[in-house]
Amino acid sequence: MLPTLSVLHREIASSILLYRNLRLAGAKQKAASNGYSGLQFPWESAQLGVEVTPTDADTGIYEQHISSDIVLAVKQLWRLSGDLNWLKSYLDLVCGVADFWASRVQRRNDGSFGIYGVTGPDEYAVNVNNSAYTNAAARLSLEFAVEICGLLNVSCQNAGAWGEIASQMYIPFDSSRGIHPEYDGYTGGKIKQADVVLLGYPLGLDITDTVRLNDVKYYAARTDVNGPCMTDGIHTIALLSCGLPEAAAEYFPKSFANAKPPFWVWQETPTGGAVNFITGAGGFLQALIFGYGGLRIENGSLLFSPRLAPETSSMKVRGVRYRLAVFDVFWDQDHVIILNLPESAMTIFISDGLRSHEVPAGQRFQFPVSPFSVFAG
């Protein structure tokens, strides 16, 4: 849910991250209690920010990628806002998570770094070694910690170690099949939900379209049909990013099939589970904005690759927040229209890769449907 809130409702997204930032003591306590440095955020957190996952659940012990997920959210909101003062207030959080991973990794025989004894997003695979998602997310956290020190021009004594670990982080890959095994020793069993498929989006791991497609095909066939519904939204995004709208159209309707009457709120699985399942709603919204809108939050710009969702003639995303600008994005089969709203406090520039077009507040710009970037003035 947070990526959508970060794009459309920055104040709400900021308040969610502030909740974590005000509870660093609980994350420090958890890391220390497990023998690690830095900040290890709890899987389930309440008023005090300490781990409150029931003791009969293993997620609180092994699902450690939560710390990297929080750093990813900070990175996305920073790229959207460009607010260095806000970013500075998260320096301790980002560097604390980097310190945690630096103390958590182990050197492998080939010289790379691995992470042992974790559970990735696939909660059927408990206490495994070198979860592809966990390792990739940890690498992202370490890289961003180095980046934030540079952006803020502060001296971070551990930055060299963070960079070394990130550059040598082991991420499982089977070159003979062109896929990422979910973890060391994975033999192709049933998975609960999207895991490896998350490497491309939202982590942004630099992988080819061929490997991305191999991953989504391989794991979609192994995903529990009675698992959580947000997976279908992620499959939609992955297939659209590979240029396969027909294949994506198979999964998109499933992303909202669990919204049930009379109030049309999501339930966790096709047969029940948690009700008002916000994670499912988040998967659906991301399928719309990051899938059919093709939005990617880049370093210094927003990239859009718009397509129409099945059985639609036009789509519109209202109130995109980027830096000090607020704009709407409309597209149909032929055209894209960008309206920089009157309340926007910044001119934006639209680029199709060949030309850049200035769009001041209160004005619009129309052009043929194609991928485009938005830059702040």
Side-chain angles (χ1 to χ4, degrees):
M1 180 62 79
L2 198 55
T4 299
L5 291 175
S6 295
V7 170
L8 301 179
H9 300 282
R10 186 181 298 167
E11 295 80 5
I12 298 175
S14 295
S15 71
I16 293 172
L17 281 174
L18 181 62
Y19 164 81
R20 294 290 193 178
N21 206 26
L22 293 175
R23 288 161 177 81
L24 302 189
K28 185 175 182 179
Q29 175 185 324
K30 179 170 183 177
S33 68
N34 290 324
Y36 302 119
S37 303
L39 302 175
Q40 180 184 3
F41 282 93
W43 181 248
E44 295 185 18
S45 179
Q47 181 177 359
L48 299 179
V50 298
E51 184 65 75
V52 296
T53 302
T55 55
D56 61 348
D58 50 46
T59 49
I61 301 172
Y62 297 115
E63 208 148 352
Q64 298 168 16
H65 63 82
I66 181 65
S67 297
S68 295
D69 300 338
I70 294 167
V71 171
L72 173 61
V74 174
K75 179 180 179 179
Q76 289 179 333
L77 200 54
W78 145 246
R79 285 184 168 185
L80 287 162
S81 71
D83 187 339
L84 279 172
N85 289 326
W86 178 88
L87 183 64
K88 186 175 182 179
S89 70
Y90 283 84
L91 177 66
D92 290 344
L93 186 155
V94 173
C95 293
V97 171
D99 279 338
F100 165 69
W101 287 122
S103 68
R104 182 72 175 80
V105 298
Q106 297 179 42
R107 182 80 75 168
R108 301 173 70 247
N109 290 337
D110 64 359
S112 64
F113 291 94
I115 303 173
Y116 297 82
V118 297
T119 298
D122 172 20
E123 293 174 347
Y124 289 168
V126 178
N127 190 14
V128 301
N129 297 331
N130 292 311
S131 152
Y133 178 88
T134 300
N135 287 22
R139 186 173 83 176
L140 180 150
S141 297
L142 292 158
E143 290 172 340
F144 187 57
V146 175
E147 180 183 348
I148 194 175
C149 292
L151 287 166
L152 298 174
N153 195 27
V154 297
S155 177
C156 301
Q157 67 180 62
N158 296 330
W162 301 335
E164 178 188 5
I165 295 168
S167 67
Q168 299 178 51
M169 182 67 75
Y170 166 64
I171 299 175
F173 183 69
D174 184 340
S175 57
S176 65
R177 294 185 293 171
I179 64 166
H180 291 89
E182 189 176 276
Y183 52 86
D184 283 354
Y186 175 70
T187 57
K190 182 186 292 186
I191 69 172
K192 181 179 180 180
Q193 60 203 65
D195 188 301
V196 167
V197 181
L198 298 165
L199 296 179
Y201 172 89
L203 291 189
L205 189 68
D206 186 15
I207 53 180
T208 66
D209 285 347
T210 298
V211 172
R212 189 192 310 269
L213 182 57
N214 290 346
D215 282 342
V216 70
K217 285 183 175 180
Y218 183 82
Y219 288 102
R222 288 160 175 79
T223 303
D224 191 343
V225 295
N226 291 314
C229 57
M230 65 277 192
T231 296
D232 296 301
I234 296 299
H235 287 165
T236 300
I237 295 169
L239 289 165
L240 287 169
S241 70
C242 293
L244 296 171
E246 296 83 4
E250 175 185 346
Y251 291 96
F252 177 63
K254 299 176 185 178
S255 72
F256 56 89
N258 288 12
K260 301 298 182 181
F263 301 111
W264 298 105
V265 296
W266 268 257
Q267 62 184 30
E268 184 175 9
T269 72
T271 57
V275 293
N276 201 9
F277 188 58
I278 299 300
T279 312
F284 164 70
L285 289 170
Q286 289 181 70
L288 287 172
I289 296 171
F290 297 89
Y292 287 100
L295 173 60
R296 295 295 182 272
I297 304 168
E298 302 291 331
N299 189 11
S301 67
L302 299 182
L303 175 64
F304 291 84
S305 300
R307 296 177 182 270
L308 288 176
E311 300 183 41
T312 64
S313 58
S314 65
M315 297 179 66
K316 186 174 186 178
V317 180
R318 294 180 171 88
V320 175
R321 300 283 302 277
Y322 183 58
R323 305 298 169 94
L324 299 179
V326 188
F327 59 92
D328 294 344
V329 183
F330 168 92
W331 67 96
D332 58 19
Q333 186 174 350
D334 301 313
H335 299 97
V336 175
I337 300 175
I338 307 294
L339 172 61
N340 196 6
L341 296 174
E343 61 265 34
S344 182
M346 180 176 281
T347 294
I348 58 175
F349 294 85
I350 312 300
S351 173
D352 60 4
L354 298 175
R355 295 176 299 276
S356 181
H357 304 270
E358 181 178 346
V359 187
Q363 296 190 21
R364 67 179 61 206
F365 176 63
Q366 178 175 317
F367 54 97
V369 171
S370 64
F372 64 93
S373 296
V374 177
F375 300 87

